[in-house]
Amino acid sequence: MADKQAVIIGAGVIGCAVGLQLSRKGYSVTLVDKNPEVGYGSTSNSCAVVRFSYSSLATTALAYEGYHYWKDWANFLGVEDERGLAKYHECGHLMIKSSPDDRPHVAEFYKQLNIPFEEWDNAYIHERLPLFNLKLCGPVVAVEDPDFWEVPENDGEVAGGVFAPNAGYIGDPQLATHNLRRAIEANGGQFMLGQRVVGIDRQSGRVSAVRLESGEILTADVVINASGPYSGKINEMAGVTSDMAVKTKALRREVHHLPSPKSFDFEHQGVMTSDDDLYLYYRPETGNKVTVGSGDPPCDSQVWVDDPDNFNREFTESQWTAQVYRAARRIPELPIPSKASGVVDLYDVSDDWIPIYDRSELPGFYMAVGTSGHQFKNAGVVGDLMAELVDACEKGYDHDAMPLTYQCRYTGNEINLGMFSRRREINRESSFSVRG
C-alpha cells in the first residue's frame, strides 16, 4: 500500500489521528485544512473531556479504549514536540444521580468492561465536594419561563453518584493536535494549511482527486472527510449522501468559564461532573476556574447553522444566563461575573449524536464525522479503527455487507463498527445530546 495516496480533509484532532495511523500503514498522507495551523478549528475550543459514561456498550468501550491512548501519549506518539506534550489531568468523573434508578446502564457497562468505578453516597460527595448543594434542583425550564427564577420547593436530594477515577481531561487540545502533527511528519506525512477544498473529483467510479481553492489538484486514491462542522458540506460536495440514513449538521455551542468559589480550589480538588438534574456538566479549568457546559435540556433551543463560515461567535445573554444560574443552584457560592467568558464554536452533530466512522457509496471516500463535542477523547482509537477500516476496504473487504469488527489494542475489547455506519437506523437508545 506504499503507493496509495490518502488526502484527509480536516486537520483537527480526529483528522490528524487518522492521518498518523494511515501513515504508519504505509499510505502517503496529506492533510488539508482551511486554518493556518492544525487544531485551530472546533478542536481548539473542545472541552477535551475524557469520560466513559455513554448510552451504549459499544460507545462506552470506545471511550475507555480512547483513555488508554492519552495515558500512553508519549509512547503512542513516539516523537518529541518542541512545544512539549499535551498533559492528561486524571481528576475523575462523577455522574450525579437524580434518582436511585437514574441511568442504571452506566454502572452495568462499567462492570461489563472492567472500568474502575465507585458508588458515592451523598455524605461522601459532600466530603469531597463541599461546595455542592445536593438538593434536587429540577425540573429545568427555559430562561424565558417566569418559573426559571423560582427555587423549586423540593426537599429531596440527589441519589448519590457513580465516580470513575480514571476519567479526566486534556488541558490544551490544540497542543495535543500539534503533537499528532509532529508524529505524522516523522512518518513522512505532509500538511497543506490555509487551503480550502472546493471540489471532489471521481474517475472510473472511484474518488480520484481533491481540488483546492488555489487551483491545485491533489491526486488521491483515498479521501477521508474529517472536516468537523463542514462535514455535511463536504459529503454533499462528494455526492455521497444518497444512501446515508444518518447525516450530520453544525450546531452552535457555548461553554462558559467561571471563577471557582473562594472556599474551594476547583482546579486541583474538583472533579468533572455530569449533572442530569440540571442538564449541566462541570469541569476543572486552568486558573482555578469552573467550566460549565450544557447537557441539552429539552426546554433550551438549539441553534443549527447552515454556513459554518457565518455564525454568531459572541456569547448570548439567554444561554449565559441559563447555564451559569443553573450552575449556581448546584454551587451556591459560584461567582458570576458581569461579563461572559468561555468559548463559542460549532459541533459537528449526527442525527443521533453517535459519530459516523464508515466508508461511503463512492469507493475510496471515507467519513469520520459527527464527532464534535464528545469524540475528542477517542481521537487515538478513532485514528486506529479508521486506518483499519480504510485498509480493509481498499484490499477488497465489503464492510457494507459485513461490518468490520475492530479489536481494541489496549483493552482487547471488540467493537462492531456497524454501530457507526452511515446506513444504520437512528439509535433510539442515544441520549440525543453531548452525552452521546
Side-chain angles (χ1 to χ4, degrees):
M1 289 294 174
D3 59 340
K4 285 272 187 178
Q5 304 290 321
V7 174
I8 299 171
I9 303 172
V13 72
I14 297 292
C16 286
V18 175
L20 175 57
Q21 297 297 65
L22 275 178
S23 69
R24 287 174 170 171
K25 283 188 174 294
Y27 286 73
S28 178
V29 171
T30 302
L31 289 96
V32 181
D33 199 292
K34 72 180 187 65
N35 290 301
E37 179 56 280
V38 300
Y40 268 25
S42 55
T43 289
S44 63
N45 286 327
S46 170
C47 288
V49 163
V50 180
R51 59 169 172 84
F52 322 125
S53 56
Y54 274 84
S55 303
S56 74
L57 186 65
T59 49
T60 302
L62 193 69
Y64 190 49
E65 176 73 7
Y67 149 78
H68 287 80
Y69 283 80
W70 297 114
K71 285 292 289 183
D72 192 37
W73 193 236
N75 289 328
F76 167 64
L77 293 170
V79 298
E80 297 293 328
D81 185 336
E82 73 280 4
R83 298 184 185 177
L85 297 184
K87 181 180 179 181
Y88 180 60
H89 301 269
E90 195 171 78
C91 62
H93 171 242
L94 174 66
M95 191 200 79
I96 291 177
K97 297 165 65 176
S98 55
S99 66
D101 59 352
D102 184 18
R103 297 176 72 192
H105 66 276
V106 171
E108 183 57 36
F109 290 163
Y110 287 178
K111 291 176 184 177
Q112 290 185 49
L113 297 168
N114 294 316
I115 299 173
F117 75 97
E118 304 163 5
E119 296 274 6
W120 286 9
D121 61 19
N122 285 0
Y124 191 68
I125 293 176
H126 180 73
E127 180 182 334
R128 283 287 306 270
L129 301 163
L131 75 170
F132 277 7
N133 163 36
L134 297 181
K135 294 285 187 181
L136 286 168
C137 299
V140 171
V141 298
V143 69
E144 296 82 10
D145 191 313
D147 290 338
F148 180 87
W149 299 102
E150 296 295 325
V151 178
E153 295 181 3
N154 192 334
D155 292 330
E157 290 193 336
V158 301
V162 177
F163 181 73
N166 297 132
Y169 65 96
I170 303 300
D172 191 337
Q174 199 280 322
L175 176 60
T177 313
H178 192 269
N179 295 162
L180 289 168
R181 175 181 181 173
R182 289 293 181 253
I184 291 168
E185 291 169 337
N187 279 274
Q190 61 180 344
F191 291 81
M192 299 191 68
L193 303 173
Q195 301 274 5
R196 188 181 292 270
V197 173
V198 296
I200 311 291
D201 293 344
R202 58 176 72 195
Q203 186 175 359
S204 302
R206 282 189 59 89
V207 72
S208 62
V210 173
R211 286 184 285 117
L212 306 181
E213 193 173 42
S214 63
E216 190 164 357
I217 297 175
L218 304 178
T219 301
D221 301 293
V222 166
V223 174
I224 296 100
N225 179 4
S227 59
Y230 293 83
S231 67
K233 299 292 185 184
I234 295 295
N235 282 339
E236 291 173 0
M237 191 182 295
V240 298
T241 60
S242 66
D243 74 339
M244 294 181 67
V246 179
K247 295 184 173 67
T248 61
K249 50 189 175 180
L251 176 65
R252 182 187 177 278
R253 302 291 288 193
E254 293 185 27
V255 175
H256 301 129
H257 296 165
L258 300 165
S260 176
K262 291 182 179 179
S263 62
F264 192 83
D265 184 350
F266 201 82
E267 180 182 357
H268 298 102
Q269 297 175 293
V271 303
M272 292 190 313
T273 306
S274 296
D275 186 349
D276 287 352
D277 181 38
L278 285 165
Y279 284 86
L280 293 174
Y281 62 87
Y282 322 106
R283 198 209 78 179
E285 185 62 66
T286 302
N288 197 20
K289 295 180 181 179
V290 182
T291 287
V292 178
S294 174
D296 300 286
C299 61
D300 282 5
S301 59
Q302 294 180 322
V303 180
W304 300 100
V305 174
D306 292 327
D307 181 3
D309 287 322
N310 184 22
F311 68 97
N312 179 15
R313 294 181 178 271
E314 302 298 322
F315 295 102
T316 57
E317 182 178 356
S318 60
Q319 195 61 36
W320 165 259
T321 301
Q323 287 182 196
V324 302
Y325 280 95
R326 283 176 190 150
R329 287 181 177 172
R330 183 66 67 219
I331 309 174
E333 297 178 31
L334 187 68
I336 300 178
S338 58
K339 184 177 181 180
S341 65
V343 295
V344 180
D345 215 320
L346 299 179
Y347 281 3
D348 174 33
V349 178
S350 77
D351 293 331
D352 57 8
W353 285 76
I354 294 171
I356 301 171
Y357 301 132
D358 200 2
R359 57 158 294 172
S360 74
E361 63 182 282
L362 175 62
F365 188 91
Y366 299 84
M367 295 176 277
V369 301
T371 57
S372 295
H374 56 84
Q375 291 294 294
F376 181 98
K377 65 180 68 62
N378 293 334
V381 61
V382 168
D384 194 50
L385 74 81
M386 283 298 300
E388 291 286 315
L389 174 63
V390 169
D391 202 46
C393 291
E394 291 304 299
K395 290 175 179 175
Y397 187 81
D398 191 344
H399 177 61
D400 283 341
M402 183 177 292
L404 196 69
T405 296
Y406 172 76
Q407 184 167 19
C408 297
R409 297 183 183 273
Y410 288 92
T411 62
N413 292 318
E414 292 188 342
I415 300 174
N416 184 328
L417 297 188
M419 175 77 181
F420 308 106
S421 169
R422 73 197 186 281
R423 292 178 167 181
R424 69 178 184 262
E425 293 184 5
I426 289 179
N427 190 323
R428 298 300 172 187
E429 298 301 315
S430 170
S431 68
F432 292 90
S433 74
V434 72
R435 296 183 316 201

